[in-house]
Amino acid sequence: MHHLPGPAPSPATVTRSGPLTWVQQWHWFEHTIPAPRRVNPTPLADHCHVPPPATVADIHLALASLTARHEALRTTVDPLLPIQHVHRADWAPLPVDCVDVPAADADTLEAATAALAALPIDPERNPPWRARVLLVAGKPRAVLVAAHHIVIDGWGLAVLIGQLHDQLRGEPAPAEASVHPLDMAAGQHPERARAAEREWLARLASNPTGVLAPFGGTEKGGGRHRLQHRSVDAYDDLDRVALRHRVSPEVVMLAALAHDVATRTGEHRFLASVVVSNRTRAALRSSIGVRALTVPVQIDLRPGAAFGEVVASVAAASAAAYRHGQWCPAELVAAQARMDRRRGVVAVPTIEYNCYSWPRDYLVPACNTPPDGPTTWISSAPDEPCDTLYVDLGRDAGVVTLDVTVGDHLLDTEQAIALPVRLCGLLRAVAEGAECPVPARALTPAAGWWRAPQGWVCLSEVEDVLRGHPGVLDVTVTPSGDAAGEDEEPHLVVHARVAPDVTSDDLHGHVLDHLGEVPGLVAPRRYVLSLAGLESGCCPTAIGDAGTPIRPPVTDPERALAAAVAGVGPSDGDFNGLASVDMNRCLADHGVTLVAVPRLLALLHRSGFTGIASDELAGTASLGHLAAALEPIPPRAPGGETSP
């Protein structure tokens, strides 16, 4: 929560209310995450030129007409519940302003759009969008529009911009009626969502984690890179390859990305989380509401396969994944957190691929950037690293645009810049007839990394985490080797010298609590403890399994967190309120899904505690680990306001 819930808009202006769709729920939750850790930019932004002889008054009339047509432009959301409210068309003034600029050239438009995107939008109390008219010598030359992702997605904003431009040219509005997300809520099928959840979890469980980590990046990197690469040549190359293999250009680029990951890492099996628009009907294609979500595409590449076979494999995998294109994020995220904690590993997709480059104008172009050739703009920030490689594809006006976001512990600056260049180079080679087979041999990983069945593990990171547990005097982590039985998979073994009161279960729980914090971490399956010169080995019981004693809250922060969990927990017979809250388990183990997290944080705030964020609650850390980070809320200054 970034602010205390304020007064909602007057109920008198509300024409109807209802639940957020499952897709919207994720963006609703995401806007409660601290800004540096968000992946999806909020708000989205884009622009269009103003056709002469349109005036500022014409722009206001067009925006008023679009507001009346699209309910999403007059929708607010509840801060604590996944509910949205549609208001009358005149419920609030149009959020439009005008700015004088010396010229409306490309650089000015890019910079102005990025500046508008940086302005916050409050979707709880105000219209979920804003517009800005750029004036040159008093005449409107461009309109910039920014929108909040909760009610408008990237495709939707492009539709909105297109319809605005059409109205300014005097063209009639589309014949199809606009479809609001509220109209889609009744069409959400719980059985389909549960089937999709099972498919997601099965694919996640069978894929390695940390695929990119051992092969590059900055050691202990603490930031992320955002870059944009544009290539005119790649536009024709992409079309030529797509036509030859009778697939879409988007599938070809995903195949090129999969080929590059396999070439770079030696991994031939991994997941790509692919964004699809979910707009199969004409009425949905002209709707600006949130429709797009991700589906897991299972990449399986045969070593030595020519690029044509890679394309065919990726196309077939994409078609299979699209059958599972409707799922409930609130349930899935909780199920994945439970699975990850019990497996002792965080299973994140290697790559997320979006077939619509967004936002195209997020970065301001560098000086002297050639307008018609390959260009790369990059921005690096020392904020929260992201553990997934995000690649967005756009094809506009004869230019291929690749937007990349990646943590610098996965790819350093030079490697990040080289990625889109390699992809375009691969397209050029394939377009000219090269087969470009998938390499059969893996690259040599960085020192200290080991390939476990669950994925790549950094042995030194596991040791560092274990040394951080009180009472651990010395520790060594090694692959199982001779310690594994005949029918046992290889795993990690911890040899630790500890104080007498430290048990292997303590160490196991400590590693589980750090899964979401340390890249390359896996919970070892065997802990051999040395106590006062006596050595004894035991295999810990996984935290959360039946038979593990419940640890009740002890400290004031633990009691406050336990009470909040009990206050938002499920009402079924499996959850017995405060008596069922176990500080050794994560929030998902208590049946709490992400849509309840804002209310939980509000309850914590009422109890006088702050210090944890919504995405931490949705992860694998135990409640006891989270409670240790809670802090009392500072006393409120006279006339001031504190915020959770």
Side-chain angles (χ1 to χ4, degrees):
M1 301 285 290
H2 303 299
H3 55 75
L4 289 171
S10 169
T13 69
V14 175
T15 60
R16 60 178 183 146
S17 301
L20 297 171
T21 64
W22 293 335
V23 181
Q24 287 180 290
Q25 284 178 12
W26 170 249
H27 298 299
W28 175 79
F29 170 75
E30 190 181 38
H31 97 287
T32 71
I33 298 173
R37 295 209 289 268
R38 295 179 199 151
V39 172
N40 288 301
T42 299
L44 308 171
D46 202 353
H47 62 261
C48 70
H49 292 278
V50 176
T55 64
V56 173
D58 294 329
I59 295 171
H60 279 78
L61 285 174
L63 290 172
S65 173
L66 289 169
T67 300
R69 174 179 174 78
H70 294 288
E71 290 178 311
L73 294 177
R74 41 193 168 93
T75 295
T76 58
V77 297
D78 190 279
L80 300 181
L81 297 170
I83 300 295
Q84 56 190 327
H85 309 284
V86 179
H87 299 264
R88 297 195 316 255
D90 60 348
W91 76 283
L94 290 176
V96 185
D97 61 14
C98 297
V99 173
D100 291 303
V101 295
D105 55 21
D107 288 356
T108 300
L109 288 174
E110 299 279 4
T113 304
L116 186 66
L119 297 179
I121 292 178
D122 182 1
E124 298 165 9
R125 291 179 283 270
N126 299 319
W129 62 283
R130 68 171 80 240
R132 174 164 292 170
V133 182
L134 299 187
L135 304 175
V136 178
K139 294 184 178 180
R141 294 298 178 87
V143 181
L144 320 178
V145 181
H148 203 287
H149 214 325
I150 294 179
V151 291
I152 300 173
D153 61 16
W155 179 296
L157 184 55
V159 169
L160 178 62
I161 291 285
Q163 291 186 5
L164 171 61
H165 190 261
D166 289 344
Q167 288 206 26
L168 293 177
R169 294 173 57 191
E171 297 183 8
E176 298 87 2
S178 176
V179 180
H180 189 272
L182 271 175
D183 302 321
M184 304 293 293
Q188 298 180 141
H189 306 292
E191 287 303 322
R192 280 189 62 189
R194 281 188 279 271
E197 177 187 309
R198 291 192 294 271
E199 180 72 15
W200 261 99
L201 294 176
R203 296 189 185 196
L204 286 168
S206 64
N207 275 266
T209 187
V211 169
L212 292 173
F215 298 93
T218 303
E219 185 178 3
K220 299 185 182 300
R224 68 174 70 185
H225 308 300
R226 297 180 178 94
L227 66 91
Q228 187 174 90
H229 180 85
R230 295 184 177 183
S231 174
V232 174
D233 294 338
Y235 190 93
D236 291 333
D237 294 337
L238 195 56
D239 277 344
R240 290 166 62 191
V241 178
L243 184 62
R244 180 186 307 163
H245 296 287
R246 298 185 178 183
V247 296
S248 69
E250 290 78 13
V251 166
V252 171
M253 185 59 77
L254 177 57
L257 183 58
H259 185 285
D260 189 81
V261 171
T263 300
R264 176 181 181 80
T265 67
E267 295 283 356
H268 297 98
R269 178 183 176 85
F270 50 90
L271 273 182
S273 183
V274 177
V275 179
V276 296
S277 71
N278 278 357
R279 286 173 164 85
T280 56
R281 293 186 283 119
L284 297 181
R285 284 195 291 272
S286 63
S287 169
I288 70 171
V290 177
R291 304 278 179 258
L293 52 74
T294 58
V295 296
V297 176
Q298 176 68 65
I299 304 295
D300 278 299
L301 304 181
R302 183 180 64 84
F307 189 75
E309 182 180 329
V310 174
V311 171
S313 173
V314 169
S318 298
Y322 297 163
R323 292 199 299 268
H324 305 281
Q326 185 173 2
W327 47 273
C328 179
E331 302 291 341
L332 178 63
V333 170
Q336 183 178 340
R338 289 194 298 269
M339 179 185 73
D340 290 345
R341 184 171 177 86
R342 289 165 187 173
R343 292 176 66 223
V345 60
V346 177
V348 297
T350 302
I351 55 178
E352 178 158 322
Y353 176 66
N354 189 351
C355 299
Y356 191 90
S357 180
W358 198 262
R360 290 170 292 173
D361 308 310
Y362 189 74
L363 300 175
V364 178
C367 295
N368 303 318
T369 299
D372 57 350
T375 61
T376 299
W377 312 330
I378 188 165
S379 170
S380 299
D383 55 16
E384 296 287 339
C386 54
D387 296 322
T388 299
L389 169 64
Y390 294 87
V391 178
D392 296 348
L393 165 69
R395 302 173 76 238
D396 295 303
V399 178
V400 164
T401 302
L402 291 170
D403 290 303
V404 177
T405 302
V406 63
D408 60 3
H409 64 287
L410 297 181
L411 301 178
D412 62 25
T413 305
E414 183 177 344
Q415 294 161 349
I417 293 174
L419 173 66
V421 176
R422 282 200 312 271
L423 294 179
C424 293
L426 176 62
L427 289 175
R428 167 50 55 91
V430 173
E432 293 180 345
E435 291 192 351
C436 298
V438 177
R441 304 182 66 179
L443 300 178
T444 302
W449 287 86
W450 178 69
R451 178 64 164 83
Q454 308 100 313
W456 285 96
V457 187
C458 183
L459 303 183
S460 60
E461 291 287 4
V462 181
E463 291 178 350
D464 287 347
V465 168
L466 286 166
R467 288 193 185 97
H469 188 282
V472 173
L473 307 178
D474 192 21
V475 63
T476 302
V477 179
T478 60
S480 54
D482 297 336
E486 288 186 12
D487 299 326
E488 193 174 7
E489 287 186 331
H491 56 265
L492 292 186
V493 176
V494 171
H495 297 269
R497 191 162 57 90
V498 298
D501 59 337
V502 177
T503 68
S504 57
D505 279 343
D506 293 336
L507 299 186
H508 187 69
H510 182 70
V511 175
L512 292 178
D513 282 342
H514 288 80
L515 288 180
E517 301 173 5
V518 182
L521 190 66
V522 165
R525 286 175 48 193
R526 185 173 177 86
Y527 298 78
V528 181
L529 308 185
S530 176
L531 306 173
L534 299 177
E535 188 174 89
S536 63
C538 61
C539 295
T541 301
I543 301 298
D545 283 357
T548 302
I550 291 178
R551 185 174 80 78
V554 177
T555 65
D556 287 342
E558 287 186 349
R559 282 190 283 267
L561 181 55
V565 171
V568 300
S571 57
D572 55 43
D574 294 333
F575 185 77
N576 190 25
L578 191 58
S580 296
V581 178
D582 181 0
M583 304 310 290
N584 280 334
R585 302 190 183 193
C586 67
L587 189 71
D589 280 326
H590 293 83
V592 179
T593 61
L594 60 84
V595 293
V597 167
R599 283 183 292 143
L600 189 152
L601 288 173
L603 289 174
L604 268 179
H605 188 266
R606 291 179 196 170
S607 298
F609 288 96
T610 186
I612 55 177
S614 52
D615 55 331
E616 295 172 304
L617 285 167
T620 58
S622 69
L623 296 182
H625 184 68
L626 293 170
L630 287 174
E631 302 171 351
I633 296 175
R636 183 175 299 183
E641 180 182 280
T642 59
S643 108

